[in-house]
Amino acid sequence: MLDLSDRFVLTTGPDGRPACELRAFTHGLMPVTVPAMMQAFTDDWAVRGVDAWNAVPDHWDIGRPVGWWTLPEALGDRWIAPILGAAPGTCVMQPNVHWTVAALLSCDGPFEGRTGLVLSEAEFPSVRHNVRQWGGLREIAMAEVAAPEGRLDVDALLDAITDNTAWVFVSHVGFATGELQPNETLRAIADRAHRHGALFCVDGYHATGSVDVDVEAIGADVYVGGLLKEASGSTGNSYLYVREGLDLRPRLAGWFADADPFGFNAEPRPHPEVRRRFLAGTTAIASLYHAVEGLRVLLDAGLEAVRADSLAKTGLALERLDAMDLPGLRLRSPRDPERRGAMVILEAPEADRLSRWLKTRGVYTDSRRNEVLRFSPFVWNGREDVERCLDAIEEAVSTGAHLRYEAPAEAGPVT
Ligand SMILES: Cc1ncc(COP(=O)(O)O)c(C=O)c1O
């Protein structure tokens, strides 16, 4: 099993010792190199001032001259394209997925002569809310396929695609189920969409950094995701891939996306590079300094090795769960390794209390809707972390200790 714990700063448990940190699926740990990168940002700003927009030292191993102006696409070529199996010129950094989806829906081209948009109830709100908001701005005939317990019904989704469909949206790994859609499934959806003249967008947030993605094999026209989770970037580190030759023109494009930004013209003109059209106003630069430090670690190990390690560790957790056979607990995430993402999701009564009680033991998981407990042993966790987590779950569920635990009020459920 991989142990890359020396490449990350481990969170601290209630006893002051490193916690058993199992929340990679929601916000990865900070790579040890991040403080130096943030220092590099302040140094570049201090030494170069506004000239940093034109040129800064190559802190990202890009291998060509770079300045803040071109950093979003330079990072796209150097770091995002390789993890997606994408060609140079197709990827760009973005502030968050919500912005990117909004920009996609603002493109007129896909909606010419069509109004249909196919998605499922399993999509994250960055897609679902966007579609509903845009429904008030342009004519959208939304086909939202039911997803019992958050599971994608592939046949129903395929059936919903028609000659009126402009876009199909699917998650690579479901956030509520941890279910990974195999390449063949995604390819079948892509083929059906393309036969009907529709575009296929995959939300790969929960695959990024834990699965070796191949956008060409899955036939995605567009792939969106972020480095915040397993890839251990932080906020402001999302990205977009647009397949070569797809001429999208977002109406939400800002002046940073203009073909002649310093002409300060009244009429916007789309940038010749499609990916650049997805920039808005002035790019938030500081977040691009910490963006790829986690990817650096994962790519050093190799994404295939990271995936194999994740499967080994989640497999170990599943073996322990089977052996314990605790009443009331039910596995919601897939057992099949072909279908398993990096998360283990357990239906558990009083899941919120269970997660909070585990925290008192220095075991950091999270819960959703008081229904499920989620945890994800990742590259910084050893076998003993998996054991420690499962021991603590066993103790809680078999004694009911968590049901008696009155947790101090927390600011919010953001874990
Ligand atoms: C599948 C999926 N998409 C997108 C997001 C986040 O999107 P945004 O960058 O808009 O916050 C998440 C966050 O948990 C997610 O699980």
Side-chain angles (χ1 to χ4, degrees):
M1 284 183 188
L2 289 177
D3 178 2
L4 304 181
S5 53
D6 60 337
R7 311 273 310 260
F8 295 91
V9 181
L10 301 177
T11 40
T12 307
D15 58 359
R17 289 186 304 132
C20 176
E21 179 57 77
L22 299 160
R23 297 172 296 182
F25 56 84
T26 181
H27 197 320
L29 289 180
M30 186 176 79
V32 291
T33 50
V34 164
M37 285 301 281
M38 298 320 290
Q39 182 68 49
F41 168 65
T42 55
D43 287 349
D44 290 349
W45 180 9
V47 172
R48 291 160 192 262
V50 70
D51 293 331
W53 284 99
N54 298 320
V56 287
D58 181 5
H59 311 289
W60 303 267
D61 299 331
I62 288 165
R64 62 177 198 243
V66 66
W68 291 353
W69 186 261
T70 51
L71 198 49
E73 55 264 36
L75 293 180
D77 283 339
R78 170 65 181 84
W79 292 98
I80 305 300
I83 61 165
L84 301 182
T90 56
C91 299
V92 67
M93 299 304 291
Q94 295 278 274
N96 52 60
V97 170
H98 183 90
W99 158 264
T100 311
V101 175
L104 290 169
L105 295 179
S106 80
C107 299
D108 292 335
F111 287 102
E112 261 163 35
R114 295 160 183 267
T115 58
L117 201 146
V118 177
L119 72 164
S120 88
E121 289 175 352
E123 291 311 301
F124 194 77
S126 299
V127 172
R128 291 181 88 191
H129 289 185
N130 247 315
V131 173
R132 283 169 169 78
Q133 297 281 18
W134 274 93
L137 294 169
R138 68 158 79 246
E139 193 187 348
I140 292 183
M142 180 178 78
E144 193 172 67
V145 173
E149 292 187 343
R151 272 192 192 82
L152 181 65
D153 181 341
V154 177
D155 291 333
L157 189 95
L158 290 172
D159 286 345
I161 301 171
T162 69
D163 287 343
N164 185 44
T165 307
W167 283 101
V168 180
F169 283 89
V170 170
S171 285
H172 201 159
V173 175
F175 78 98
T177 58
E179 182 179 30
L180 171 74
Q181 297 302 330
N183 281 2
E184 307 77 61
T185 304
L186 295 174
R187 182 81 222 188
I189 299 169
D191 289 347
R192 177 73 64 98
H194 295 156
R195 263 206 304 286
H196 288 278
L199 294 176
F200 181 39
C201 176
V202 180
D203 178 352
Y205 218 125
H206 281 289
T208 307
S210 57
V211 175
D212 206 0
V213 178
D214 184 343
V215 280
E216 293 188 5
I218 65 183
D221 298 292
V222 171
Y223 194 97
V224 297
L227 306 177
L228 171 74
K229 301 176 187 292
E230 283 86 349
S232 294
S234 187
T235 54
N237 294 162
S238 290
Y239 65 81
L240 163 71
Y241 156 83
V242 181
R243 116 174 115 67
E244 266 177 313
L246 179 59
D247 184 22
L248 293 174
R249 295 173 180 231
R251 283 191 177 274
L252 285 190
W255 75 283
F256 263 50
D258 202 82
D260 181 20
F262 296 101
F264 302 109
N265 305 305
E267 289 298 327
R269 274 202 290 136
H271 196 276
E273 273 198 55
V274 174
R275 60 177 171 171
R276 180 89 199 178
R277 295 177 192 163
F278 286 82
L279 296 189
T282 307
T283 305
I285 290 298
S287 57
L288 299 182
Y289 275 70
H290 54 62
V292 301
E293 295 311 295
L295 270 188
R296 223 185 253 287
V297 178
L298 299 180
L299 290 175
D300 279 354
L303 282 187
E304 280 181 17
V306 170
R307 168 85 179 131
D309 177 65
S310 153
L311 284 175
K313 288 172 183 164
T314 50
L316 187 63
L318 297 187
E319 270 170 35
R320 269 295 307 273
L321 280 166
D322 286 345
M324 293 185 323
D325 192 23
L326 291 169
L329 293 192
R330 184 175 154 247
L331 184 65
R332 181 175 288 183
S333 52
R335 184 175 290 280
D336 176 2
E338 301 281 304
R339 295 259 168 176
R340 211 151 79 209
M343 275 185 277
V344 176
I345 305 184
L346 286 180
E347 289 170 18
E350 297 290 337
D352 291 350
R353 271 178 199 267
L354 179 56
S355 176
R356 285 194 219 119
W357 184 86
L358 291 172
K359 206 168 195 179
T360 64
R361 296 300 174 102
V363 174
Y364 290 2
T365 60
D366 89 353
S367 61
R368 285 287 180 255
R369 290 177 166 162
N370 206 22
E371 281 172 11
V372 293
L373 185 80
R374 309 191 298 175
F375 61 92
S376 172
F378 203 50
V379 294
W380 50 76
N381 298 115
R383 172 181 284 267
E384 61 291 352
D385 283 342
V386 181
E387 300 288 352
R388 185 172 160 194
C389 171
L390 274 297
D391 286 349
I393 291 176
E394 183 172 30
E395 182 187 340
V397 176
S398 59
T399 65
H402 61 296
L403 300 175
R404 296 185 292 276
Y405 176 58
E406 290 304 328
E410 281 190 345
V414 185
T415 61

